[in-house]
Coordinates of all heavy atoms in Angstrom, one line a residue:
D1309 N 7.8 0.1 7.6 CA 8.5 1.3 7.7 C 8.2 2.4 6.6 O 9.0 3.2 6.2 CB 10.1 1.1 7.6 CG 10.6 0.4 8.9 OD1 10.0 0.7 10.0 OD2 11.5 -0.4 8.8
T1310 N 6.9 2.3 6.1 CA 6.5 3.3 5.2 C 5.6 4.3 5.9 O 4.7 4.0 6.6 CB 5.6 2.6 4.1 OG1 6.4 1.7 3.4 CG2 5.0 3.6 3.1
D1311 N 6.0 5.6 5.8 CA 5.2 6.7 6.3 C 5.6 8.0 5.6 O 6.3 7.9 4.5 CB 5.5 6.8 7.9 CG 6.9 6.9 8.2 OD1 7.7 7.5 7.4 OD2 7.3 6.4 9.3
L1312 N 5.2 9.1 6.1 CA 5.4 10.4 5.4 C 6.9 10.6 5.2 O 7.4 11.1 4.1 CB 4.8 11.5 6.2 CG 5.0 12.9 5.6 CD1 4.4 13.0 4.2 CD2 4.4 14.0 6.5
S1313 N 7.7 10.3 6.2 CA 9.2 10.6 6.1 C 9.9 9.7 5.2 O 11.0 10.0 4.6 CB 9.8 10.5 7.5 OG 9.8 9.2 8.0
T1314 N 9.4 8.5 4.9 CA 10.0 7.6 4.0 C 9.3 7.4 2.6 O 9.7 6.5 1.8 CB 10.1 6.1 4.6 OG1 8.8 5.7 4.9 CG2 10.9 6.2 5.9
Y1315 N 8.3 8.2 2.4 CA 7.5 8.1 1.2 C 8.4 8.4 0.0 O 8.3 7.7 -1.1 CB 6.3 9.1 1.2 CG 5.6 9.1 -0.1 CD1 4.7 8.1 -0.4 CD2 5.7 10.1 -1.0 CE1 4.0 8.0 -1.6 CE2 5.0 10.1 -2.2 CZ 4.2 9.1 -2.5 OH 3.5 9.1 -3.6
D1316 N 9.3 9.3 0.0 CA 10.3 9.6 -1.0 C 11.6 9.3 -0.5 O 11.9 9.8 0.7 CB 10.2 11.1 -1.4 CG 9.4 11.4 -2.7 OD1 9.6 10.7 -3.6 OD2 8.6 12.3 -2.6
K1317 N 12.5 8.7 -1.2 CA 13.9 8.5 -0.9 C 14.7 8.9 -2.1 O 15.1 8.0 -2.9 CB 14.2 7.1 -0.5 CG 13.5 6.6 0.8 CD 13.9 5.2 1.2 CE 13.2 4.7 2.5 NZ 13.6 3.3 2.8
P1318 N 15.1 10.1 -2.2 CA 15.9 10.6 -3.4 C 17.2 9.8 -3.5 O 17.7 9.6 -4.7 CB 16.1 12.1 -3.1 CG 15.0 12.5 -2.2 CD 14.8 11.3 -1.4
W1319 N 17.7 9.3 -2.4 CA 19.0 8.6 -2.5 C 18.8 7.1 -2.9 O 19.8 6.5 -3.2 CB 19.7 8.7 -1.1 CG 19.0 8.1 0.0 CD1 19.1 6.8 0.5 CD2 17.9 8.7 0.7 NE1 18.2 6.6 1.5 CE2 17.4 7.7 1.7 CE3 17.3 9.9 0.7 CZ2 16.4 7.9 2.6 CZ3 16.2 10.1 1.6 CH2 15.8 9.2 2.5
K1320 N 17.6 6.6 -2.8 CA 17.3 5.2 -3.1 C 15.8 5.1 -3.5 O 15.0 4.5 -2.9 CB 17.5 4.4 -1.8 CG 17.7 2.9 -2.1 CD 18.0 2.2 -0.8 CE 18.2 0.7 -1.0 NZ 18.5 0.0 0.3
P1321 N 15.5 5.7 -4.7 CA 14.1 5.9 -5.0 C 13.3 4.6 -5.2 O 12.1 4.6 -4.9 CB 14.2 6.7 -6.4 CG 15.6 6.5 -6.8 CD 16.4 6.3 -5.6
Y1322 N 14.0 3.6 -5.7 CA 13.2 2.4 -6.0 C 12.8 1.6 -4.7 O 12.0 0.7 -4.8 CB 14.1 1.4 -6.9 CG 15.4 1.1 -6.3 CD1 15.6 0.1 -5.3 CD2 16.6 1.8 -6.7 CE1 16.8 -0.2 -4.7 CE2 17.8 1.5 -6.1 CZ 17.9 0.5 -5.1 OH 19.1 0.3 -4.5
A1323 N 13.3 2.1 -3.6 CA 12.9 1.4 -2.3 C 11.9 2.2 -1.6 O 11.5 1.8 -0.4 CB 14.1 1.3 -1.5
A1324 N 11.3 3.2 -2.2 CA 10.2 4.0 -1.5 C 9.0 4.1 -2.4 O 9.1 4.0 -3.7 CB 10.8 5.5 -1.3
P1325 N 7.8 4.2 -1.8 CA 6.6 4.2 -2.6 C 6.6 5.2 -3.8 O 6.2 4.8 -4.9 CB 5.5 4.6 -1.6 CG 6.0 4.2 -0.3 CD 7.5 4.4 -0.4
A1326 N 7.1 6.4 -3.6 CA 7.0 7.4 -4.7 C 7.9 6.9 -5.9 O 7.5 6.9 -7.0 CB 7.5 8.7 -4.2
G1327 N 9.1 6.4 -5.6 CA 10.0 5.9 -6.6 C 9.5 4.6 -7.3 O 9.6 4.4 -8.5
M1328 N 8.9 3.7 -6.5 CA 8.4 2.5 -7.0 C 7.3 2.8 -8.0 O 7.3 2.3 -9.2 CB 7.7 1.7 -5.9 CG 8.6 1.1 -4.9 SD 7.7 0.2 -3.5 CE 9.0 -0.4 -2.5
A1329 N 6.4 3.7 -7.7 CA 5.3 4.0 -8.6 C 5.8 4.8 -9.8 O 5.3 4.5 -11.0 CB 4.3 4.9 -7.9
R1330 N 6.8 5.6 -9.7 CA 7.4 6.4 -10.8 C 8.0 5.4 -11.8 O 7.9 5.6 -13.0 CB 8.4 7.4 -10.3 CG 8.8 8.5 -11.3 CD 9.7 9.5 -10.6 NE 9.0 10.1 -9.5 CZ 9.5 10.1 -8.3 NH1 10.6 9.4 -8.0 NH2 8.8 10.6 -7.3
D1331 N 8.8 4.5 -11.3 CA 9.5 3.5 -12.2 C 8.5 2.6 -12.9 O 8.6 2.3 -14.0 CB 10.5 2.7 -11.4 CG 11.8 3.5 -11.1 OD1 12.0 4.6 -11.6 OD2 12.6 3.0 -10.2
L1332 N 7.4 2.2 -12.1 CA 6.4 1.4 -12.8 C 5.6 2.2 -13.8 O 5.4 1.7 -14.9 CB 5.4 0.9 -11.7 CG 4.3 0.0 -12.2 CD1 4.8 -1.2 -13.0 CD2 3.4 -0.4 -11.0
Y1333 N 5.3 3.4 -13.5 CA 4.6 4.3 -14.5 C 5.4 4.4 -15.8 O 4.9 4.3 -16.9 CB 4.3 5.6 -13.9 CG 3.5 6.6 -14.8 CD1 2.3 6.3 -15.3 CD2 4.1 7.8 -15.2 CE1 1.6 7.2 -16.1 CE2 3.5 8.7 -16.0 CZ 2.2 8.3 -16.5 OH 1.5 9.2 -17.3
N1334 N 6.7 4.7 -15.6 CA 7.6 4.9 -16.8 C 7.7 3.6 -17.6 O 7.7 3.6 -18.8 CB 9.0 5.4 -16.3 CG 8.9 6.9 -15.9 OD1 8.0 7.6 -16.2 ND2 9.9 7.2 -15.1
A1335 N 7.8 2.5 -16.9 CA 7.9 1.2 -17.6 C 6.7 0.8 -18.3 O 6.7 0.3 -19.4 CB 8.3 0.1 -16.5
E1336 N 5.5 1.1 -17.7 CA 4.2 0.9 -18.4 C 4.1 1.7 -19.6 O 3.7 1.2 -20.7 CB 3.1 1.1 -17.5 CG 3.0 0.1 -16.3 CD 1.7 0.3 -15.5 OE1 1.1 1.3 -15.6 OE2 1.4 -0.6 -14.7
R1337 N 4.5 3.0 -19.6 CA 4.4 3.9 -20.7 C 5.4 3.4 -21.8 O 5.0 3.5 -23.0 CB 4.7 5.3 -20.4 CG 3.7 5.9 -19.4 CD 4.0 7.3 -19.1 NE 3.8 8.2 -20.3 CZ 4.2 9.5 -20.4 NH1 4.8 10.0 -19.3 NH2 4.0 10.2 -21.4
A1338 N 6.5 2.9 -21.5 CA 7.5 2.4 -22.5 C 7.0 1.1 -23.1 O 7.1 0.9 -24.3 CB 8.8 2.1 -21.8
Q1339 N 6.3 0.2 -22.3 CA 5.9 -1.1 -22.9 C 4.6 -0.9 -23.7 O 4.4 -1.6 -24.7 CB 5.6 -2.1 -21.7 CG 6.9 -2.7 -21.2 CD 6.5 -4.0 -20.5 OE1 5.6 -4.7 -20.8 NE2 7.4 -4.4 -19.6
A1340 N 3.7 0.0 -23.2 CA 2.4 0.2 -23.9 C 2.1 1.7 -24.1 O 1.3 2.3 -23.5 CB 1.3 -0.5 -23.1
P1341 N 2.9 2.3 -25.0 CA 2.7 3.8 -25.2 C 1.4 4.3 -25.7 O 1.1 5.4 -25.5 CB 3.8 4.1 -26.3 CG 4.0 2.8 -27.0 CD 3.9 1.7 -26.0
H1342 N 0.6 3.4 -26.2 CA -0.8 3.8 -26.7 C -1.9 3.5 -25.7 O -3.1 3.7 -26.0 CB -1.1 3.1 -28.0 CG -0.1 3.4 -29.1 ND1 0.2 4.7 -29.6 CD2 0.8 2.6 -29.8 CE1 1.1 4.7 -30.5 NE2 1.5 3.4 -30.6
T1343 N -1.5 2.9 -24.5 CA -2.5 2.7 -23.5 C -2.4 3.8 -22.4 O -1.3 4.1 -21.9 CB -2.2 1.3 -22.8 OG1 -2.2 0.3 -23.8 CG2 -3.1 1.0 -21.7
R1344 N -3.6 4.3 -22.1 CA -3.6 5.4 -21.1 C -3.6 4.7 -19.7 O -4.4 4.0 -19.3 CB -4.9 6.2 -21.2 CG -5.0 6.9 -22.5 CD -6.2 8.0 -22.5 NE -7.5 7.3 -22.2 CZ -8.3 6.8 -23.1 NH1 -7.9 6.8 -24.4 NH2 -9.4 6.2 -22.7
T1345 N -2.4 5.0 -19.0 CA -2.2 4.3 -17.7 C -2.1 5.3 -16.6 O -1.8 6.5 -16.8 CB -0.9 3.5 -17.7 OG1 0.2 4.4 -18.0 CG2 -1.0 2.4 -18.8
A1346 N -2.4 4.9 -15.4 CA -2.2 5.7 -14.2 C -1.7 4.7 -13.1 O -2.1 3.6 -13.0 CB -3.5 6.4 -13.7
V1347 N -0.8 5.2 -12.3 CA -0.3 4.4 -11.2 C -0.4 5.3 -9.9 O -0.2 6.4 -9.8 CB 1.3 4.2 -11.4 CG1 1.8 3.4 -10.2 CG2 1.5 3.3 -12.7
I1348 N -0.9 4.5 -8.9 CA -1.1 5.1 -7.6 C 0.0 4.6 -6.6 O 0.1 3.4 -6.4 CB -2.5 4.8 -7.0 CG1 -3.6 5.4 -7.9 CG2 -2.6 5.4 -5.6 CD1 -5.0 5.0 -7.5
A1349 N 0.8 5.5 -6.0 CA 1.6 5.1 -4.9 C 0.8 5.3 -3.6 O 0.5 6.4 -3.2 CB 2.8 6.1 -4.9
W1350 N 0.5 4.1 -3.0 CA -0.5 4.1 -2.0 C 0.2 3.8 -0.6 O 0.3 2.7 -0.2 CB -1.6 3.1 -2.3 CG -2.8 3.2 -1.4 CD1 -3.7 4.2 -1.4 CD2 -3.1 2.3 -0.3 NE1 -4.7 3.9 -0.4 CE2 -4.3 2.8 0.3 CE3 -2.5 1.1 0.2 CZ2 -4.9 2.2 1.4 CZ3 -3.1 0.5 1.3 CH2 -4.3 1.1 1.9
A1351 N 0.6 4.9 0.0 CA 1.2 4.8 1.4 C 0.2 5.3 2.4 O 0.5 6.1 3.3 CB 2.5 5.5 1.5
D1352 N -1.1 4.9 2.2 CA -2.2 5.5 3.0 C -2.7 4.5 4.0 O -3.9 4.4 4.3 CB -3.3 5.9 2.0 CG -4.3 6.8 2.7 OD1 -4.0 7.5 3.7 OD2 -5.5 6.8 2.3
Y1353 N -1.8 3.7 4.6 CA -2.2 2.9 5.7 C -1.0 2.9 6.7 O 0.1 3.1 6.4 CB -2.7 1.5 5.3 CG -1.5 0.5 5.0 CD1 -1.3 -0.6 5.8 CD2 -0.7 0.6 3.8 CE1 -0.3 -1.5 5.5 CE2 0.3 -0.3 3.5 CZ 0.5 -1.3 4.4 OH 1.5 -2.2 4.1
T1354 N -1.3 2.5 8.0 CA -0.3 2.4 9.0 C 0.5 1.1 8.9 O -0.1 0.1 9.0 CB -0.9 2.6 10.4 OG1 -1.5 3.9 10.4 CG2 0.2 2.6 11.4
T1355 N 1.8 1.2 8.6 CA 2.6 0.0 8.4 C 3.4 -0.3 9.7 O 3.5 0.6 10.5 CB 3.5 0.2 7.2 OG1 4.6 1.1 7.6 CG2 2.8 0.6 6.0
P1356 N 3.8 -1.5 9.9 CA 4.7 -1.8 11.0 C 6.0 -1.0 11.0 O 6.5 -0.7 9.9 CB 5.0 -3.3 10.9 CG 3.8 -3.9 10.0 CD 3.5 -2.7 9.0
E1357 N 6.5 -0.8 12.1 CA 7.8 -0.2 12.2 C 8.9 -1.3 12.5 O 8.9 -1.9 13.5 CB 7.9 0.9 13.3 CG 7.0 2.1 13.1 CD 7.2 3.1 14.2 OE1 8.1 3.9 14.0 OE2 6.3 3.2 15.1
G1358 N 9.7 -1.5 11.5 CA 10.7 -2.6 11.7 C 10.1 -3.9 11.6 O 8.9 -4.1 11.5
V1359 N 11.0 -4.9 11.7 CA 10.6 -6.3 11.7 C 10.3 -6.8 13.1 O 11.0 -7.5 13.7 CB 11.6 -7.2 11.0 CG1 11.1 -8.7 10.9 CG2 12.1 -6.7 9.7
G1360 N 9.2 -6.3 13.7 CA 8.8 -6.6 15.0 C 7.5 -7.3 15.1 O 7.1 -8.0 14.1
V1361 N 6.8 -7.3 16.2 CA 5.6 -8.0 16.4 C 4.5 -7.6 15.5 O 3.8 -8.5 14.9 CB 5.1 -7.9 17.9 CG1 3.8 -8.7 18.1 CG2 6.2 -8.5 18.8

Side-chain angles (χ1 to χ4, degrees):
D1309 289 328
T1310 298
D1311 52 33
L1312 180 59
S1313 65
T1314 60
Y1315 176 75
D1316 261 315
K1317 291 182 180 177
W1319 64 95
K1320 197 176 183 181
Y1322 56 81
M1328 292 175 177
R1330 195 175 304 118
D1331 285 348
L1332 179 58
Y1333 180 62
N1334 290 335
E1336 289 185 351
R1337 293 183 69 189
Q1339 283 202 27
H1342 302 297
T1343 301
R1344 297 191 303 274
T1345 61
V1347 177
I1348 301 174
W1350 192 73
D1352 194 27
Y1353 79 112
T1354 300
T1355 68
E1357 293 185 84
V1359 187
V1361 176

